Amino acid sequence: MVDVLHYAEKVFNNRPADVSLVNSRNPLMVGEEKDLIGFRFFDVVQNFRGQEEITNYSGMYYFGSRISYKDLVLEQDDFIKRMQLDYLSRLGIEEAIFCEKAGKVISTISVSDKTIEEVRLERINEQVRNIDVNQKEFLNTLITTLEEHGNDVDIITSEVLEFLCDLEIDPEIDAIEAIIRTYDLYVNGYKAASTSAVVGDLKIGSYERETYFKLSDAVDMVSPLYQEYPYLEKMMDKVKLAISDEDSLAESVQAKTKSKRNK
């Protein structure tokens, strides 16, 4: 069996690079440090002659945000965004990674390079069907984002008592009654989206009861709006990044437990 050792090569701004042995190649296990721009992994193995060989280099992982020309055009009212847009325009490039804490801009990006934010988004996208989100809080974020971009937004909330089991299908199965709450989103007078959930109560109008839906349902609700309101895609990334924080994930688990108890 060949022994494989994993190493991380850290790249700093105004400091020499540092190479250290690591237990895994999980980029989320490498902590951010002062002046740290990013890092890459490589492996060290022994060949059949007993000599050590360096192999299996990863792409770079950057502590920063990938900013594209298209994104900045949508948000150019912000002073920092205008500066970033000017930077991309002067270099004639479509995107760059801005490592603000380390004071470095990466303008030459390889296909395999990623930001830590992008890695976190990949991980959360793998779990979208397992994470519960508070509907009201999510809708408030959505409304705020739309209104910040000059839209008139209304939410119409309705509730109805429904049977969740059809007695005509199987008389042996008891009918289950539940309150179904529906949120209809209207943007500039037109219905743009709708979402529903079961309320943990058997009384219509119990609006103090929170409702939850899967993060995947939130994505399905908002993604059809990306073409008309492209900035909503960035909003969804921010929502996912907030959920990917350890504290938020803990809150999500609590929310899921609470949701089950209320049903």
Side-chain angles (χ1 to χ4, degrees):
M1 183 176 178
V2 178
D3 290 331
V4 180
L5 298 177
H6 307 303
Y7 287 86
E9 180 184 14
K10 298 178 180 179
V11 179
F12 296 87
N13 189 15
N14 300 321
R15 288 171 53 187
D18 175 72
V19 176
S20 58
L21 184 66
V22 293
N23 293 325
S24 76
R25 292 171 61 101
N26 181 356
L28 299 183
M29 296 300 291
V30 178
E32 191 170 4
E33 304 174 35
K34 180 176 171 39
D35 296 328
L36 179 57
I37 299 169
F39 59 91
R40 64 176 177 172
F41 295 114
F42 64 87
D43 295 336
V44 174
V45 299
Q46 282 193 344
N47 62 24
F48 66 93
R49 297 190 185 91
Q51 299 170 325
E52 290 187 341
E53 290 184 352
I54 298 177
T55 183
N56 198 20
Y57 276 99
S58 72
M60 285 292 297
Y61 295 97
Y62 291 106
F63 289 99
S65 299
R66 188 189 300 261
I67 306 294
S68 72
Y69 190 90
K70 182 181 74 172
D71 296 333
L72 292 173
V73 168
L74 295 173
E75 302 288 348
Q76 58 184 317
D77 288 340
D78 184 284
F79 174 72
I80 299 297
K81 301 300 183 186
R82 288 200 301 270
M83 291 180 62
Q84 292 172 335
L85 181 62
D86 180 64
Y87 178 88
L88 295 183
S89 298
R90 282 189 288 108
L91 290 185
I93 56 178
E94 288 296 319
E95 64 177 12
I97 296 176
F98 291 83
C99 305
E100 294 182 10
K101 291 184 179 179
K104 189 73 173 179
V105 180
I106 310 301
S107 57
T108 303
I109 308 170
S110 298
V111 174
S112 57
D113 295 344
K114 299 177 182 179
T115 67
I116 294 299
E117 281 186 356
E118 290 168 344
V119 176
R120 290 168 61 197
L121 283 171
E122 287 175 356
R123 301 291 172 86
I124 205 74
N125 283 334
E126 294 170 358
Q127 299 295 323
V128 289
R129 297 189 180 279
N130 302 319
I131 297 173
D132 287 350
V133 177
N134 184 299
Q135 274 185 312
K136 191 178 295 184
E137 291 179 2
F138 176 79
L139 289 171
N140 284 339
T141 300
L142 177 58
I143 292 168
T144 299
T145 304
L146 287 165
E147 289 181 339
E148 286 176 347
H149 288 79
N151 299 286
D152 293 322
V153 185
D154 291 303
I155 285 283
I156 296 179
T157 306
S158 59
E159 290 183 348
V160 62
L161 181 65
E162 293 276 7
F163 289 107
L164 298 187
C165 175
D166 191 338
L167 292 178
E168 295 180 358
I169 295 177
D170 188 346
E172 300 299 322
I173 300 178
D174 292 334
I176 301 174
E177 291 181 339
I179 302 297
I180 307 298
R181 182 182 298 165
T182 299
Y183 300 93
D184 291 318
L185 174 72
Y186 287 81
V187 183
N188 301 323
Y190 295 93
K191 185 176 178 180
S194 182
T195 179
S196 300
V198 176
V199 181
D201 203 314
L202 289 180
K203 183 173 64 175
I204 289 179
S206 300
Y207 291 107
E208 73 278 2
R209 292 284 193 177
E210 302 287 2
T211 54
Y212 298 84
F213 63 166
K214 297 297 181 186
L215 180 56
S216 57
D217 294 330
V219 174
D220 290 342
M221 174 189 176
V222 176
S223 56
L225 305 178
Y226 290 168
Q227 184 171 357
E228 189 169 358
Y229 313 103
Y231 45 82
L232 292 182
E233 189 168 3
K234 281 294 182 182
M235 182 213 76
M236 283 303 305
D237 285 347
K238 290 179 181 179
V239 169
K240 293 175 186 177
L241 288 170
I243 291 173
S244 72
D245 290 337
E246 185 175 352
D247 291 343
S248 294
L249 282 174
E251 290 173 4
S252 176
V253 172
Q254 292 173 4
K256 188 172 184 179
T257 302
K258 180 180 177 182
S259 177
K260 289 181 178 178
R261 286 175 180 169
N262 288 338
K263 289 179 181 178

